[in-house]
Amino acid sequence: MKDSSPTPPVRPTEQLLPLLSITPERFQSFCRDFITELPEIVECHQYGVPGDGQLGIDLVATTSTGETVSHQCRRVKTFEPADLRTLATTVEYPASHYYALIATRATAGVRDEENEKPNWTVWDIDDISAKVRALPPEVARRIVRTNFGGQCCRDFLGLEPFTAFVLPDDFFAPLLDSQKIFNHCFELVGRKAELEQLEKFIDDDEKLIFVLPGRGGIGKSKVLRAFAQRLENVRMVYFAQLDVDITPEALGELPATKAIIVIDDAHRRKDLGLLFAYAVRTRTKLVLSTRPQLLDELPSRASRSQIDTREMLIAQPLAPLSRADIERLAREVLGPELRYVAPELAEVTKDCPLITVVGGWLLRERRVLPSLLANDDDFRGAALAKFFDEIVENAIPGSEEDALRRLLEIIAALAPVYVSSQRFASAVAAFAGMDLETAAAWCERLERHGVLARRHDGLRIVPDLLSDYVLGVACARKAAAGQRFVERIVGAVDSFDPALLRNLAAVDWRVGRRTGEELRVLGAVWESIFT
C-alpha cells in the first residue's frame, strides 16, 4: 500500500547574500573577510583609513603567484557602465589586476564594458554569493555570521550559525593580525618541555585528559597554538569555541575519526562534564588550559564522569620563561632598531610574556619611551595604560573617550555581560550616561576590533590581563562626587551581583599579591549592599 502522507515541503536556501542590508563600512569588511579566504589569495588588507588618500582602491591583496591585485567595494543599488569607466580612470594604485565588487547585479552593458578592459573584473552579487558558498563550510559560516548575522547562516548557507568546534586557524584568526598591539604572530620561545609532554600524552593510550595550568598572561594559549601546529599533518585538532555552549548535538558534529579537542580557558566553562562524558565514551583526548583556580575541583568533576584520575595528566603550572627566552622574544618584538633595549625589556617583563609583547610593540612604535624601562612598575603600568589608551583612541573614532572608558570599566566589572540584558542596560545608563542602543553598537565595534570577545557566557575584555588592569584602575581611582567606583557600579546594577563580587574579589587578591597593599573593594561592596 502506498504511503499517502504528504511529502514535507523543501525549503531552498536563499541564492544571494543581502549585500544591501549592511552599511558600506561593513560591506568593505565583509569583502576583505571573504577575499582573504579565497584559495589564490595569500593576504588581503584594507588600504588606508577614512580620510587617507587611497589612490582609488579599498583593498589590496597578494596572490599565491606573487601578484598584487586591488579591489574597489561599491555597496550600490545600481552600477552602470559609466561607473566602471570612472573607476578605471581614477584608480592610481599600481596592481596587476583590478576588481570591482558591487552589491547589485551587473547589467549586460557593464559586462560589455568589462570585456573592453582586460585588467578589470567585475564581481557582482551573484559572483560574490557563489564564491562565499564555495568556501569551506566553517569558513563560510564564520564570515556570514560575522557580517550578516545568524539568520543569514540558516537562510543562505542552510547551516546553524554557531558551531561549537573550529579548526586551529579559525580559532586563532583574531590574534594573527600583526597590526594589533596584542597578537600571536611572534614565534613561540621556550616551552619545549611542555610541548614534549603534550606529545607524549597524545601517544599514551591510557591518558584521556591533559591539563595545562597557568596564570593570566603567562602564555597558555600560545603553547596550545604551537601544539596544534605540530599536529597539523598528523591528527585532527579542534578547538572549543569560546563563545558557544557545547551540547550533545554539537558533539555530534565532530568527525567519526578520532580527533583531539582543545579547551582554552577551561576555568570559564560550565560544560566540562559533557566533554568528559564524551571523552570516556569515545576515547577522545582532551587538552585543557586553565587558570589555577580550577585545579582543586577538576578531579572531582572528572570522577563524576567516570574518569579515573590515572587517565588525567595535570602538568605543573607554566613557569615564567627563562631570562634567555624572554630576551629572545623581546628582540623579535622590538625589531632591529630597538633590539639593543631587549635585555632591559626582558628584565622588567620577565614573569609575563604578554607584557613583553605589548611593551615591545609600544616601544617599537614609539608610544612609550625606553627610559621607562628603568623601573619595573612604571613600565608595566605605562604599557598597560598605553594599551588601554590605544583601544580607546582607535577602536571607535569620534566617540567620547570618557564614555568609552566607562563602558569598558562596566564590562570589566560585570563580565560576562549580555548587551541585551536589563543588568547591562541599567549599568550603562546610570554609570556611563549611555542608552542601550549606543552601548550595543559600541560593543559590536569593540568586538570586531578584538577588544571584546564573545565567550559562551557573554562578552569579556581580552586579553584577561587588560580586563584586570581596567578594573584595578577603576577601583583604585579617587572617589567622584563622594562615591568610589565600586559603590557607583553596585548602585547602577541595583542588586547583589555574584559576577561583580567575583571580579572585585579577584582584583583585591591580585593587587595585594603584587603590592602587599589592599584595595579593600569587597568591603565597599558589602557596605553598598547592606547600608
Side-chain angles (χ1 to χ4, degrees), residues 444-515:
E444 182 185 352
R445 288 286 298 274
L446 291 166
E447 189 176 357
R448 292 205 304 273
H449 280 266
V451 180
L452 301 182
R454 191 174 299 277
R455 305 302 195 226
H456 71 290
D457 54 357
L459 284 174
R460 296 178 182 272
I461 296 172
V462 290
D464 287 344
L465 197 65
L466 179 62
S467 183
D468 296 347
Y469 167 80
V470 171
L471 187 52
V473 168
C475 289
R477 195 164 51 227
K478 291 183 179 180
Q483 282 191 314
R484 293 176 61 191
F485 170 82
V486 174
E487 298 159 345
R488 295 173 66 199
I489 195 68
V490 169
V493 175
D494 196 29
S495 65
F496 175 77
D497 192 297
L500 173 62
L501 187 63
R502 183 174 60 248
N503 293 335
L504 294 175
V507 167
D508 257 344
W509 180 81
R510 281 189 295 269
V511 171
R513 183 171 177 266
R514 189 178 72 250
T515 67

Side-chain angles (χ1 to χ4, degrees), residues 8-144:
V10 175
R11 183 175 180 270
T13 57
E14 297 289 343
Q15 292 303 299
L16 300 177
L17 284 164
L19 300 182
L20 290 173
S21 70
I22 55 178
T23 65
E25 180 186 52
R26 173 66 82 173
F27 178 65
Q28 184 169 316
S29 297
F30 156 72
C31 290
R32 183 200 61 227
D33 289 349
F34 98 81
I35 290 167
T36 299
E37 299 295 344
L38 296 176
E40 69 272 19
I41 297 297
V42 175
E43 59 180 0
C44 178
H45 300 291
Q46 179 173 308
Y47 185 70
V49 297
D52 285 350
Q54 294 181 273
L55 303 180
I57 70 167
D58 297 312
L59 307 172
V60 61
T62 304
T63 70
S64 55
T65 59
E67 294 179 296
T68 297
V69 296
S70 74
H71 304 79
Q72 289 74 34
C73 306
R74 296 294 179 265
R75 197 216 66 129
V76 291
K77 293 181 179 179
T78 59
F79 190 80
E80 303 295 338
D83 297 319
L84 182 56
R85 286 195 294 272
T86 299
L87 279 181
T89 56
T90 56
V91 66
E92 299 177 28
Y93 191 88
S96 58
H97 201 85
Y98 302 92
Y99 293 86
L101 281 60
I102 62 176
T104 187
R105 281 197 161 112
T107 63
V110 169
R111 293 300 184 192
D112 291 340
E113 186 70 30
E114 175 189 15
N115 291 335
E116 294 179 10
K117 294 176 171 50
N119 290 335
W120 280 82
T121 298
V122 175
W123 286 350
D124 70 357
I125 187 171
D126 291 282
D127 301 319
I128 294 170
S129 298
K131 290 179 183 298
V132 171
R133 204 190 297 275
L135 293 171
E138 288 312 316
V139 174
R141 177 178 359 217
R142 169 171 49 80
I143 291 171
V144 173

Side-chain angles (χ1 to χ4, degrees), residues 13 16 64 90 117 156 162 201 221 232 241 282 296 426 428:
T13 57
L16 300 177
S64 55
T90 56
K117 294 176 171 50
F156 177 71
F162 293 101
F201 161 75
S221 298
E232 190 171 10
Q241 289 255 55
T282 62
D296 290 340
S426 299
V428 296

Side-chain angles (χ1 to χ4, degrees), residues 186 326-349 355-370 373 379:
F186 303 105
I326 206 75
E327 190 169 325
R328 179 180 160 200
L329 174 62
R331 285 196 300 271
E332 185 178 356
V333 178
L334 287 165
E337 292 185 16
L338 286 176
R339 193 167 292 176
Y340 71 93
V341 302
E344 295 173 79
L345 177 61
E347 177 60 29
V348 302
T349 65
I355 297 293
T356 308
V357 171
V358 169
W361 188 95
L362 290 165
L363 285 164
R364 189 186 70 208
E365 297 297 317
R366 305 294 196 270
R367 308 298 175 90
V368 296
L369 297 174
L373 289 167
F379 181 80

